[in-house]
Amino acid sequence: MQQLGILMDWYRDGIVSGAAAYCSGRQIQLDVRFAQRPDWADFSSLKEWSAAIVHVSGMNQLPALLQSNEIPIVGLSRNTDQSIRVLNCLDSIAKLFCDELVLSDTEEVFIPEDHRLSHSIKRETCDALEAHARANTKLKVTRIPLRMGEMEKTREVLEEARQQIPGKFAIMSPNAGELHELQLLLLKHQWELPKDCSMLTFDKDIQGIAANAPCPLSAVEPDYWKRGYQAAKLAHRMMKKQQVEPGDRLVKPTGLVRRKSTGNLIESDPNVERLIGLIHQYGYDDISVGDLIEKVGLGRRSLENRFREFYNCSPLEYLTKWRLERCQQLLKTTDLNLDQIAEESGLGSAQYLVRVFRKHFHMTPGDYRKEG
């Protein structure tokens, strides 16, 4: 039995769960011993792997050892140079951030400026947000110093802005810990959150910082499950010596978790969210909406009505959109033929793919691919 290993410097349950779901029933043994502590690993432990999913920072000797022994790697981090990676889609993250700020009637957004950054994920996320805000909204964008242990300087900048900006302003940082520290300082100085300043972050910290901040932080929720599943699928192809085109595969976030820090807290429906999760989990498989609704355990009509209330579409429309977005990605980033793309995106057959694609986008998949 072939082994697929996971090497990560901090544990992400979704990555492991997604990879495990792909490996299940495919005669692939998933090795997660070093999914949280790669410093415990040595090459004698890794040499039995047939492929690896890697997300480490500052420990490049292990990926280098894997590569030198021709063990295929699928990378999950922007801080590494693997030729095949599965990454968060920063443009989609930026859009979610901006949509929430506009909904909050925010006039200005402050974005961290730290030239000492070594992690490109933080820098690139901030850059993507600024680019999207300037191109698609009327938000004023201002760079601001935001560094752990140096929050007094940040507070002084905000105090000045507070006097000059009549409306609401916000701060976005991919680092929930930074915003947590800043909240403590602002509250100490009698700020009202989110009335005076709203905040947005990534919901990625295993410590739950975003949820447990003094004013719980609204946060974009990355789709780690899908990234793990796709990474395992790519690794499996390489294990089978199939050709895999180099490049980054981008995964959109599952959505934005609204908490008190933006003042837009809304109630969610657990059954609807359960169905969304199942669509994200099984949407590329040969499965129907009825099958997914049955897994939720609620009457179909009731669940479809609740779903439409929250997402303004039916579960089938959402599932089709989910599959078509995957189809678009594959058309742009791979040389797979239509039968292969139909299978990879859950659309069944090339004939059905062409019919649905033309209906939604008023062009054929071939024309879409030619557009580049």
Side-chain angles (χ1 to χ4, degrees):
M1 180 179 290
Q2 293 181 305
Q3 280 194 2
L4 172 61
I6 299 183
L7 197 67
M8 297 192 292
D9 50 12
W10 57 268
Y11 187 75
R12 303 158 181 83
D13 179 68
I15 296 291
V16 174
S17 298
Y22 180 83
C23 292
S24 178
R26 288 185 169 88
Q27 299 298 307
I28 304 172
Q29 183 178 14
L30 190 65
D31 186 351
V32 297
R33 289 175 294 166
F34 312 116
Q36 184 167 358
R37 291 297 303 268
D39 53 315
W40 288 358
D42 58 76
F43 189 68
S44 64
S45 305
L46 310 183
K47 65 182 180 181
E48 301 300 324
W49 290 357
S50 304
I53 297 172
V54 175
H55 195 323
V56 295
S57 300
M59 294 190 64
N60 293 329
Q61 71 275 15
L62 290 175
L65 279 171
L66 292 168
Q67 288 174 330
S68 66
N69 285 267
E70 299 183 345
I71 296 176
I73 295 177
V74 177
L76 298 178
S77 173
R78 279 184 162 80
N79 301 318
T80 56
D81 60 357
Q82 278 88 35
S83 61
I84 298 171
R85 301 186 299 184
V86 182
L87 305 174
N88 289 319
C89 179
L90 297 186
D91 289 341
S92 297
I93 290 170
K95 183 180 185 304
L96 282 174
F97 277 139
C98 288
D99 288 349
E100 182 69 2
L101 294 176
V102 171
L103 185 63
S104 304
D105 296 321
T106 299
E107 295 187 9
E108 182 168 7
V109 55
F110 290 93
I111 299 175
E113 181 73 87
D114 191 341
H115 296 294
R116 303 174 304 172
L117 289 178
S118 59
H119 297 298
S120 62
I121 177 60
K122 181 176 177 181
R123 181 179 62 254
E124 292 180 21
T125 303
C126 294
D127 291 345
L129 174 61
E130 179 172 5
H132 185 89
R134 293 189 186 281
N136 302 284
T137 75
K138 296 181 180 180
L139 288 166
K140 179 182 178 182
V141 180
T142 302
R143 292 284 182 164
I144 188 173
L146 186 62
R147 303 170 187 140
M148 298 288 283
E150 299 182 17
M151 291 298 172
E152 190 60 43
K153 183 186 298 184
T154 305
R155 185 189 67 81
E156 292 172 0
V157 174
L158 293 177
E159 287 284 9
E160 183 177 349
R162 195 181 188 188
Q163 303 302 319
Q164 298 177 359
I165 301 173
K168 291 183 65 175
F169 60 89
I171 301 175
M172 189 288 297
S173 173
N175 188 324
E178 288 178 339
L179 295 183
H180 192 160
E181 181 178 343
L182 180 60
Q183 281 193 352
L184 292 173
L185 181 62
L186 295 180
L187 291 169
K188 179 181 177 182
H189 287 268
Q190 308 303 311
W191 282 57
E192 295 183 51
L193 304 174
K195 180 181 177 181
D196 294 323
C197 179
S198 58
M199 298 183 180
L200 285 163
T201 189
F202 257 9
D203 199 12
K204 66 181 180 62
D205 296 86
I206 59 174
Q207 301 92 342
I209 291 175
N212 292 307
C215 183
L217 297 165
S218 292
V220 165
E221 188 173 76
D223 195 342
Y224 285 121
W225 193 98
K226 185 176 176 182
R227 287 177 66 195
Y229 188 94
Q230 287 198 15
K233 178 180 277 190
L234 290 168
H236 189 205
R237 287 183 184 169
M238 290 188 284
M239 290 157 62
K240 294 189 293 183
K241 308 299 183 183
Q242 295 179 355
Q243 182 178 359
V244 177
E245 292 294 326
D248 295 339
R249 279 70 171 173
L250 302 181
V251 175
K252 294 182 178 182
T254 60
L256 187 137
V257 180
R258 286 187 175 137
R259 302 191 179 101
K260 294 181 180 179
S261 69
T262 55
N264 288 329
L265 187 66
I266 60 171
E267 293 183 2
S268 62
D269 186 304
N271 290 310
V272 171
E273 295 308 311
R274 170 65 173 153
L275 181 55
I276 288 290
L278 289 170
I279 289 174
H280 291 178
Q281 182 173 354
Y282 298 107
Y284 301 144
D285 296 338
D286 182 16
I287 194 168
S288 69
V289 166
D291 294 332
L292 296 175
I293 290 176
E294 187 175 342
K295 288 177 179 290
V296 176
L298 190 69
R300 178 161 186 161
R301 179 173 295 181
S302 175
L303 184 53
E304 287 183 337
N305 289 339
R306 292 292 288 162
F307 193 99
R308 188 175 291 278
E309 180 181 341
F310 278 87
Y311 288 92
N312 198 33
C313 66
S314 70
L316 177 58
E317 290 168 337
Y318 187 98
L319 174 61
T320 302
K321 178 176 180 290
W322 177 259
R323 288 170 167 170
L324 285 171
E325 286 176 353
R326 175 61 173 157
C327 176
Q328 287 178 303
Q329 181 187 24
L330 292 172
L331 286 167
K332 292 292 188 183
T333 61
T334 75
D335 294 324
L336 297 177
N337 62 41
L338 292 187
D339 283 316
Q340 291 170 316
I341 290 175
E343 181 180 357
E344 290 293 324
S345 59
L347 289 169
S349 68
Q351 183 180 8
Y352 180 69
L353 185 158
V354 171
R355 185 166 71 249
V356 176
F357 198 97
R358 189 192 295 272
K359 176 181 177 181
H360 282 79
F361 302 116
H362 308 292
M363 66 172 68
T364 67
D367 290 338
Y368 180 82
R369 175 174 264 168
K370 289 176 184 177
E371 285 188 348

